[in-house]
Amino acid sequence: MSRVGVLVMGPAGVGKSTFCNSIISHMQTIGRRAHIVNLDPAAEPNKYEFTVDIRDLISLDDVMEELDLGPNGALIYCFEYLMKNLDWLDEEIGDYNDEYLIFDCPGQIELYTHIPVLPNIVRHLQQQLNFSLCATYLMEAPFIIDSSKYFSGSLCAMSAMILLELPHINVLSKLDLIKDEYNRKKLKRFLNPDPMLLANEVEDVNPKFQKLTKSIANLVDDFGMVQFLPLEANNPDSIETILSYIDDVTQWAENQEQKEPNDQIDIEEM
């Protein structure tokens, strides 16, 4: 039977840990279980403890102190160390066959663009541990309602989509931070956006930047895959909708073992 895993990605501060905790909280209310696998060597647990924590193998603070590295260099060192010790990850993950494993990833995009760390971990989980995986990429709603920033975020999401080669869901987080009615209405245009229309709204006095924006818009439009699901962390309906998409792409229901009914009918009594 295939295991199910969800990679939670996005820039630092976008709400990845809150999203992870919200999914677990919702699953508990509907009788399902999930565990957080922390792949961020600088992260601290929030509402729920980490079931698997990379800091038990290597810590960002320790690397920075002992090797005199900055945060980004130390993070890359931590993941290179993890790649040399994937047997530790295999042992820690254990036999979670019927439960979701939620992989909380660091926010540094270079881990899957500049160096192939996350793509290699994804392949290991798929090929060696038989995981059915889904990638979720979070972006902040207050950030994306600026058309120019929308294109910047979309390129990051597309980069993750292409390099990880996984079923991919984009999520728009922190909707609750947008209070005024005007911006909430404006936000709806970004859930299923028209890139070319948004490109025409970007104001820039430099013709070269205008041309670049339209080229990026063409790229996003050609892919036709940069759409967003709205996330309100304290809204059960919002979490349930996103979880249903994750279930669909990971085929969670199809991968569950058929259980015998509690009350068997005696054939002789029929």
Side-chain angles (χ1 to χ4, degrees), residues 76-117:
I76 292 174
Y77 180 91
C78 288
F79 271 88
E80 289 177 342
Y81 188 82
L82 174 62
M83 292 302 300
K84 295 177 182 178
N85 294 273
L86 285 175
D87 55 333
W88 172 86
L89 183 63
D90 297 350
E91 184 177 347
E92 289 292 313
I93 287 177
D95 298 320
Y96 296 105
N97 288 326
D98 297 324
E99 302 167 14
Y100 263 59
L101 292 187
I102 304 173
F103 295 84
D104 192 357
C105 303
Q108 284 75 4
I109 192 174
E110 58 264 30
L111 292 175
Y112 50 85
T113 56
H114 294 49
I115 54 176
V117 169

Side-chain angles (χ1 to χ4, degrees), residues 146-212:
D146 182 314
S147 297
S148 60
K149 293 177 181 177
Y150 159 79
F151 289 111
S152 173
S154 295
L155 285 177
C156 292
M158 288 174 59
S159 177
M161 188 188 312
I162 293 169
L163 293 170
L164 294 181
E165 298 180 336
L166 288 176
H168 189 100
I169 296 172
N170 294 313
V171 176
L172 211 53
S173 66
K174 301 187 179 181
L175 265 72
D176 53 311
L177 295 183
I178 301 180
K179 304 295 185 182
D180 62 283
E181 190 65 23
Y182 171 76
N183 280 328
R184 289 190 72 87
K185 288 182 178 179
K186 182 179 178 182
L187 183 64
K188 295 180 181 179
R189 302 171 59 231
F190 292 88
L191 297 178
N192 190 6
D194 182 335
M196 303 308 298
L197 182 61
L198 294 176
N200 292 330
E201 297 177 0
V202 176
E203 296 181 0
D204 201 309
V205 295
N206 191 322
K208 291 183 179 180
F209 288 143
Q210 290 179 341
K211 185 176 179 180
L212 176 61

